[in-house]
Amino acid sequence: MGTLEGHLLPGMGFLLYSLYYSVLTSLALLREQKALEHPMLPRKLWGHRQVSYEALVKVLIPTFATICEFFYPLGVNRLQMIDWKDPRRPFIFKDNWEHITMFGFFILSGVVDMVSQARPAHRSVKLECAFEALTFYVLVLLMATHIENKSSMEIRVHLLLMLPSFLLAVVITVETWLPSHPPIWVLKSWLGLVFSNWMFQICEMYVPPTGQPWRSDSPTDHAFLTVFFCWYMALSAALFVAIYGLCSLWHSRYSSWEKTSGPRYQRCRVESGCEELERLKAEALLQDGVV
C-alpha cells in the first residue's frame, strides 16, 4: 500500500525486531557469550517444540500486513493479479503484489526458523541465516522495480532505503558463515535500526510535520533528503549505544542482586593440628582405597 498506513505497519514491525535484536546483542556482549541466545516461547504453548519470539514475529506481522494489502481499506479486494477482461491481459495492483511478495519471504524465513528450532538436536543456524539473507536480497530486487513510475522524490527515498537493505543482506550472508562474531551482531543491529527508522521517514513524506509537502522539482529538497539519511544513520548508532547503556545498567544491577541474594560461603578456619581435620583426612583415604 503506497500510503501512510502501508509504510507505518512494516516500519513498526522492523523497529520492534531491530530493538529486540539490539537488546540481545547488548546482553550477549556484556555476558561475553559466544553465540546469541534467542528466548523461546513457553513450552506449554507449543508442547515439546521450541519456537523463538523472533520466528513468531516474522510470521505474524507479515501475515497481518499481507491481509491488509489484499483487503484494506474495507471493501477492497486485490486478490486478482491479471485483468482477464482486457484482451492485453495486463497485471494489476503491481505495487501491492510486490509488497505481498516481500512479506511472503519474511513469512518463509519465520517458518524455516520454526522448523529448525523445533528439533534442537538438528537445528541449523546457518539455514536460518541463509533464508533471512535471501529475504533481504529479494527485498532489494523488488525495490528496484517498485520505484518505477514514481516521482523523483519517491525514487530517491526508496533508493536510500535499498542501501541498508542490501548491506543487511550482505551482513547476514557473512553471519551465515561467522555466527559467533560479535562485530557482525553489532553491524546487523545498527543496519536494522537504520532501515526501520528510514521507513518512518517515508511515512513523514505522506504527513510532513511542517505542513509543507516535499517537492520533487526542488534540488534543495533532494539534497536535504540525503542529509536526513546521514542523520538517521547517526541517530541509529546513538540509539544502539543507548540500548547498550541501559542493558549494561540492568546487567550490573542484576549481577549485584544475584551476588547479594545468593548463599554465602565462608572458609572454615581449621588449625593444622586439629583432631577433626586428621579424622576427615583418614576417612577420605579409606574411601579412596588408600592404605
Side-chain angles (χ1 to χ4, degrees):
M1 295 178 292
T3 61
L4 172 65
E5 298 87 350
H7 291 90
L8 184 61
L9 178 61
M12 287 295 298
F14 281 119
L15 180 60
L16 290 175
Y17 177 78
S18 300
L19 292 175
Y20 164 82
Y21 193 87
S22 298
V23 171
L24 286 185
T25 299
S26 300
L27 292 177
L29 294 175
L30 291 169
R31 296 169 179 170
E32 299 182 354
Q33 297 175 190
K34 295 183 178 180
L36 287 179
E37 297 179 0
H38 296 273
M40 299 293 175
L41 288 168
R43 288 182 177 270
K44 60 182 180 181
L45 296 178
W46 300 88
H48 296 288
R49 298 181 180 179
Q50 289 187 340
V51 176
S52 65
Y53 290 93
E54 176 187 3
L56 190 63
V57 168
K58 282 184 182 180
V59 173
L60 291 182
I61 294 182
T63 299
F64 180 72
T66 300
I67 296 174
C68 292
E69 289 287 343
F70 280 130
F71 304 112
Y72 181 84
L74 296 179
V76 174
N77 187 348
R78 301 188 183 91
L79 286 172
Q80 185 180 1
M81 181 182 291
I82 300 175
D83 187 1
W84 297 103
K85 296 180 181 180
D86 192 327
R88 296 174 299 174
R89 304 292 189 268
F91 288 100
I92 55 178
F93 307 124
K94 177 187 77 72
D95 290 350
N96 301 96
W97 279 102
E98 287 173 346
H99 291 163
I100 291 166
T101 304
M102 297 175 193
F103 296 146
F105 272 86
F106 279 102
I107 295 172
L108 177 62
S109 176
V111 171
V112 170
D113 290 352
M114 288 183 175
V115 173
S116 176
Q117 294 165 6
R119 304 174 63 187
H122 303 281
R123 181 179 177 182
S124 176
V125 179
K126 289 186 176 181
L127 182 64
E128 298 174 22
C129 290
F131 270 87
E132 189 176 16
L134 175 64
T135 299
F136 281 97
Y137 282 121
V138 170
L139 177 62
V140 175
L141 180 63
L142 292 174
M143 197 72 67
T145 59
H146 188 65
I147 60 178
E148 295 178 353
N149 300 323
K150 296 185 182 297
S151 65
S152 59
M153 185 62 68
E154 289 181 299
I155 293 175
R156 176 68 63 89
V157 73
H158 282 86
L159 285 176
L160 291 173
L161 184 66
M162 290 172 63
L163 177 60
S165 304
F166 177 73
L167 292 178
L168 265 173
V170 173
V171 167
I172 299 173
T173 302
V174 176
E175 187 185 21
T176 305
W177 306 106
L178 297 173
S180 302
H181 201 55
I184 296 296
W185 307 342
V186 175
L187 190 58
K188 181 180 176 182
S189 301
W190 174 63
L191 288 173
L193 292 172
V194 173
F195 179 86
S196 57
N197 287 324
W198 191 246
M199 288 288 292
F200 287 103
Q201 175 61 36
I202 299 178
C203 297
E204 187 270 339
M205 295 187 67
Y206 289 97
V207 186
T210 60
Q212 180 66 32
W214 291 81
R215 296 167 296 176
S216 298
D217 58 346
S218 172
T220 305
D221 285 6
H222 281 269
F224 266 110
L225 195 64
T226 306
V227 171
F228 286 167
F229 182 77
C230 297
W231 289 357
Y232 273 97
M233 290 193 296
L235 174 65
S236 300
L239 181 58
F240 179 79
V241 171
I243 292 172
Y244 181 85
L246 292 175
C247 291
S248 178
L249 291 175
W250 179 86
H251 182 262
S252 60
R253 179 68 61 87
Y254 181 75
S255 301
S256 61
W257 179 83
E258 278 190 336
K259 292 179 180 179
T260 56
S261 62
R264 298 181 180 179
Y265 297 94
Q266 297 181 354
R267 178 178 295 182
C268 180
R269 299 179 61 183
V270 181
E271 301 295 337
S272 59
C274 181
E275 297 181 358
E276 182 68 14
L277 178 61
E278 297 296 332
R279 185 180 63 82
L280 292 175
K281 288 182 179 180
E283 290 179 357
L285 291 175
L286 289 176
Q287 290 177 358
D288 294 337
V290 179
V291 180

